Amino acid sequence: MSEWRKLPLSLTELCIDTTLRCGQSFRWQKIDDEWNCVLHGRLLSLKQDESFLHYRVAWPRNASSSRKPTSSPKAKDGIEIKQEDDTEALLGHYFSLKHDLTALYDQWSESDPNFKKKAPKFTGIRILSQDAWETLVSFICSSNNHISRISQMVHKLCIHYGPLIGHIGDEAFHDFPSPQALTGKSVETHLRQLGFGYRAKYIVQTAMAVSMQKPEGWLESLINPDNPGWAVVSIPTEDEPITYKRAHEELLLLSGVGPKVADCVCLMGLGWSEAVPVDTHVWQIAQRDYRFGKAKTKTFSKAMYHSVGDHFRQIWGPQAGWAQSVLFTANLKSFAEQATANPEPVGITVDIKQEAESESMVSAKKRQATASIEQIKVEYDEPSNNRRISRKRRKIRS
DNA sequence: AATGGACCTTGTGC
DNA sequence: AGCACAAGGTCCA
């Protein structure tokens, strides 16, 4: 293990205690106030105080057991940089530290009174830039499932199929398995035995698609070029540049990947910060706090799915997925105590009262009051104005 | 194209 | 204790 190092970082810019527990990553383990996880072939430990993020790193003795042994960055002259040296850069990428979170919270609070009300108790929540493949498999596991069980399943994947990186006490830490590692003949049966249920088949089929059917580097080609991945060489293509919409469509072709999982991968694994995964929580939030139509149907349609995302993108802007994660966390049962606790700093409740009289509150209420199922469907169609869409709109109204 | 069930298993609340 | 129900949904008929 290296010595502890530190990055100057306030708790409002990043709170690892919340960010690492809110259902984005399922692999971090807290041991005695330290968060531990294998990231890109190294065992990372984090702890935080009011002013600093402290970190240390341990590399496996046998570097070849790492999934990406050749991925360590090289200097321009070809000399390999000491491996530890890129860990700070890795953290900066993983937590997307280039974004000013306080400024973003201010912006979302200004355009959304509900965000302004909920966010003060949930500061420092960031969207993680995770490995695309890990994100894909993790959220295939997430379907119709609890966060605790998802974590359990992801842990089992690593233990049984991922390379061992190191130990903390008696606890073994593995990296996430490669797609190839999950394509074996007996994997599906084994995963069922391990309690994956019907997701076992999805995982194996998707692993086969990514490692055998899709071209090399396909998943990485879906990464937002403005938010590039870690240690991923972008392969220039003759195709038109990738968009969020196309990345989403491509992911939908995979087994076990529907619109919600595809959005999770877009947001947390591919750097598309406008992606808003609409799950049961976000649907509850949309209905309860944003006057979305009370649907009689338990499962909402594809049009409904997109209308919710479009609505939030309209309110929160191009980083809507980041704002969504704050309200999502505030809505989690495991954070219920935090949501209802009296805020420590005085003055916040005063701000909320003042906000009730503000211009944005009034206009937002007016906008929300008109929302109904019909309105939602129309709104969904409005961004485009081609012929196909307008025909669709007529159909809905008739 | 849209809608209703089935689906594995575990955690939670009564 | 034991049972119903929900869980960061997706697939298929």
Side-chain angles (χ1 to χ4, degrees):
Chain A
M1 267 276 181
S2 72
E3 294 303 302
W4 284 99
R5 301 169 205 185
K6 59 184 183 181
L7 291 172
L9 201 56
S10 74
L11 277 164
T12 48
E13 275 300 308
L14 170 65
C15 176
I16 56 172
D17 221 37
T18 311
T19 301
L20 301 181
R21 276 191 307 137
C22 69
Q24 291 190 59
S25 175
F26 304 95
R27 248 161 15 98
W28 287 91
Q29 290 188 55
K30 196 174 189 182
I31 304 174
D32 298 335
D33 236 45
E34 290 171 17
W35 287 97
N36 305 285
C37 185
V38 170
L39 238 46
H40 294 283
R42 76 206 74 180
L43 175 49
L44 205 54
S45 301
L46 303 179
K47 58 183 180 182
Q48 193 174 21
D49 58 35
E50 282 171 22
S51 315
F52 293 98
L53 176 66
H54 303 262
Y55 69 95
R56 64 179 177 181
V57 62
W59 291 88
R61 292 195 186 179
N62 181 5
S64 66
S65 66
S66 168
R67 179 152 69 89
K68 290 175 180 170
T70 59
S71 67
S72 58
K74 308 209 171 184
K76 277 179 191 163
D77 56 7
I79 296 168
E80 198 165 80
I81 296 169
K82 270 186 112 178
Q83 285 183 308
E84 285 88 344
D85 288 344
D86 70 350
T87 297
E88 182 174 331
L90 171 60
L91 286 171
H93 174 262
Y94 188 74
F95 289 111
S96 302
L97 294 181
K98 67 175 178 182
H99 292 113
D100 181 347
L101 194 64
T102 310
L104 286 170
Y105 269 57
D106 287 346
Q107 182 195 309
W108 298 322
S109 297
E110 204 172 316
S111 56
D112 177 9
N114 183 55
F115 185 92
K116 182 163 186 165
K117 189 172 85 180
K118 299 281 171 61
K121 286 173 183 168
F122 293 90
T123 55
I125 299 175
R126 285 172 175 274
I127 292 296
L128 303 171
S129 297
Q130 302 185 73
D131 176 73
W133 167 246
E134 175 180 345
T135 312
L136 175 56
V137 176
S138 298
F139 282 96
I140 286 175
C141 293
S142 79
S143 73
N144 206 7
N145 217 344
H146 293 90
I147 290 177
S148 55
R149 186 177 168 213
I150 302 164
S151 308
Q152 208 176 105
M153 289 161 71
V154 171
H155 185 62
K156 282 177 181 170
L157 275 180
C158 295
I159 296 280
H160 291 276
Y161 296 97
L164 176 66
I165 302 299
H167 291 79
I168 294 179
D170 292 334
E171 186 77 35
F173 282 80
H174 297 250
D175 207 341
F176 195 81
S178 66
Q180 295 76 22
L182 297 172
T183 56
K185 258 291 193 221
S186 58
V187 176
E188 184 184 335
T189 314
H190 184 213
L191 291 182
R192 277 214 171 243
Q193 286 168 355
L194 291 173
F196 281 66
Y198 55 80
R199 302 163 197 83
K201 196 205 294 189
Y202 299 157
I203 292 169
V204 175
Q205 285 181 341
T206 294
M208 286 174 134
V210 169
S211 68
M212 293 150 81
Q213 295 160 20
K214 303 285 185 186
E216 179 81 26
W218 167 78
L219 190 53
E220 289 72 23
S221 75
L222 305 181
I223 291 174
N224 183 353
D226 294 333
N227 203 354
W230 175 254
V232 170
V233 185
S234 63
I235 301 158
T237 62
E238 298 102 40
D239 306 341
E240 48 189 280
I242 188 74
T243 60
Y244 158 57
K245 188 167 177 280
R246 232 195 75 210
H248 193 262
E249 286 167 356
E250 292 267 333
L251 290 169
L252 284 181
L253 300 175
L254 296 169
S255 171
V257 179
K260 188 269 172 181
V261 170
D263 266 329
C264 287
V265 179
C266 280
L267 178 63
M268 304 167 213
L270 299 172
W272 299 103
S273 30
E274 69 264 53
V276 178
V278 182
D279 63 358
T280 158
H281 292 277
V282 175
W283 178 234
Q284 279 173 25
I285 292 167
Q287 289 185 113
R288 186 191 63 212
D289 301 332
Y290 295 87
R291 307 288 170 94
F292 254 71
K294 309 277 182 285
K296 291 125 203 164
T297 50
K298 285 172 206 160
T299 57
F300 46 73
S301 65
K302 206 149 195 169
M304 290 282 277
Y305 182 92
H306 287 293
S307 72
V308 174
D310 287 343
H311 186 69
F312 284 132
R313 275 184 283 276
Q314 196 186 321
I315 297 174
W316 297 327
Q319 318 249 67
W322 283 55
Q324 168 270 352
S325 78
V326 178
L327 295 190
F328 170 83
T329 306
N331 204 56
L332 282 178
K333 242 185 299 177
S334 49
F335 286 89
E337 203 174 316
Q338 189 173 332
T340 54
N342 290 325
E344 283 300 324
V346 288
I348 288 172
T349 49
V350 176
D351 283 353
I352 292 165
K353 278 184 185 170
Q354 286 171 344
E355 173 61 24
E357 298 304 317
S358 79
E359 233 280 313
S360 62
M361 182 73 160
V362 173
S363 59
K365 282 215 161 159
K366 208 180 289 174
R367 199 166 60 236
Q368 287 164 3
T370 59
S372 67
I373 295 286
E374 289 305 308
Q375 178 73 18
I376 287 160
K377 288 187 174 178
V378 172
E379 270 180 19
Y380 166 54
D381 286 336
E382 257 167 11
S384 309
N385 58 356
N386 61 41
R387 230 173 286 145
R388 195 176 62 80
I389 291 294
S390 48
R391 197 173 66 230
K392 200 171 166 188
R393 189 191 298 181
R394 260 204 312 281
K395 193 176 167 188
I396 287 164
R397 280 183 168 160
S398 61

